[in-house]
Amino acid sequence: MARTGVLLSIGAVCLVSGSLATGWWLGQRSAPGISGTQASAERQIQVLQGRLAAGTASSSDQKQLLQLLLASGNQAEATLLLEQLADQQPERWQIRLLLAELRRNNNNRSGAERELRQILNLQPDRIEALQLLTVLQLEQGRGSEAQAQLKALMEKNSKPTPKPQLLPIGLVLADLQQQQGQQQQAAATYSKLAADFPRDPRPLLALALLKQEAGDTKGAQDTMAQARSRQPENRDPRLDRVAANWGLASLETPKGPSPKAATTPEPASPTP
């Protein structure tokens, strides 16, 4: 179930310091060890459904059953199973998130949004739910509503000092602004995040991509150099791979802190 329409720079930003998402409950979409013919898969499904009906299915059984149903294209049964699991295990927000994604894939956007709202009612800053909700709103022409929602959350997480949740929320907002053709606003959002989180390279990485797409290769190179300089003691090789993918491979890695950084130490900031 590939997620289409996911906001642009999140994919690039996730290359640095790990993904914003904590991962689906299912992990990989294909079930390991599931082999053979469709008939074999159907037999496994019947066995696992029998255990589920008898109340003897383990968490591993439930996971395998869901994987089998999705792999076989039986989305109706998969949806029913997810509904049951989500009701039984309300603390497992990943299950409801997957249910929302499945509903979206089936063009049930109102149902998908309902699932996401349930997650956000309990965890208003859950970034995975916010990201998918933003995609849904954008698909329905409700980009302004999504922006207002994200800006309100940013405001809440900015006072009295920037909280860690501010960074991923801001990244989603900037992505949305780009999708709506608001490149200057997106650049301003990235710049503010870079100032609020002076040790994190992700806002600058996203800003470099924005400049590169605008044809400002020199500006992208300079911004990428700033991103690299933020972690001189623990250089992430993924930055080099991102630079290569963007056509910035000729950029030299900074050998040390910039003169400004040497004379004016940056204040500590929350670690996202």
Side-chain angles (χ1 to χ4, degrees):
M1 297 192 303
R3 185 187 304 179
T4 58
V6 173
L7 304 177
L8 176 62
S9 70
I10 289 297
V13 171
C14 288
L15 293 176
V16 184
S17 303
S19 171
L20 290 177
T22 57
W24 298 113
W25 176 68
L26 285 178
Q28 297 297 322
R29 290 296 188 263
S30 57
I34 296 174
S35 64
T37 64
Q38 181 67 27
S40 174
E42 290 295 337
R43 285 195 297 271
Q44 292 183 64
I45 289 174
Q46 290 175 7
V47 170
L48 292 169
Q49 285 179 328
R51 293 177 188 172
L52 188 67
T56 60
S58 65
S59 177
S60 177
D61 289 336
Q62 295 169 355
K63 176 179 177 180
Q64 186 182 28
L65 175 57
L66 184 53
Q67 289 171 323
L68 279 165
L69 290 170
L70 291 172
S72 65
N74 195 338
Q75 295 197 8
E77 288 290 337
T79 299
L80 289 174
L81 176 58
L82 281 170
E83 290 173 346
Q84 179 180 345
L85 295 178
D87 291 340
Q88 292 175 347
Q89 305 174 47
E91 74 284 357
R92 304 295 295 273
W93 59 267
Q94 298 94 330
I95 298 176
R96 198 166 292 281
L97 184 65
L98 181 55
L99 179 56
E101 187 175 2
L102 187 57
R103 292 196 193 284
R104 172 176 173 257
N105 287 350
N106 290 327
N107 295 317
N108 183 1
R109 289 183 172 84
S110 61
E113 182 168 341
R114 184 172 60 251
E115 302 298 343
L116 295 171
R117 294 291 183 189
Q118 290 194 54
I119 297 173
L120 294 171
N121 284 341
L122 297 175
Q123 303 179 59
D125 299 329
R126 174 55 62 187
I127 192 63
E128 298 86 351
L130 281 171
Q131 184 178 346
L132 186 52
L133 178 59
T134 300
V135 172
L136 282 168
Q137 291 171 322
L138 186 60
E139 288 174 342
Q140 298 175 77
R142 297 160 54 200
S144 297
E145 177 185 338
Q147 279 207 41
Q149 171 183 281
L150 293 168
K151 287 178 179 178
L153 284 171
M154 285 188 69
E155 180 72 16
K156 186 187 78 169
N157 284 285
S158 295
K159 299 176 180 179
T161 58
K163 299 176 184 177
Q165 300 94 315
L166 175 64
L167 178 56
I169 294 170
L171 292 174
V172 174
L173 173 61
D175 283 337
L176 176 60
Q177 289 169 330
Q178 288 184 69
Q179 292 290 326
Q180 295 187 291
Q182 301 169 3
Q183 310 306 317
Q184 291 184 346
Q185 292 92 324
T189 300
Y190 288 136
S191 296
K192 182 180 186 306
L193 292 172
D196 286 340
F197 298 90
R199 296 180 181 176
D200 198 300
R202 285 176 290 177
L204 290 176
L205 174 59
L207 182 58
L209 174 58
L210 183 61
K211 291 181 178 181
Q212 175 72 358
E213 291 177 336
D216 183 6
T217 300
K218 179 62 167 61
Q221 289 176 334
D222 292 343
T223 305
M224 178 66 81
Q226 294 178 48
R228 281 174 163 154
S229 71
R230 292 198 160 194
Q231 295 181 334
E233 72 290 346
N234 186 26
R235 183 176 146 201
D236 193 329
R238 289 174 291 185
L239 278 169
D240 296 322
R241 293 198 293 272
V242 170
N245 290 337
W246 294 349
L248 304 177
S250 61
L251 178 63
E252 294 183 0
T253 302
K255 303 301 181 184
S258 65
K260 179 179 179 182
T263 56
T264 308
E266 292 178 327
S269 69
T271 302

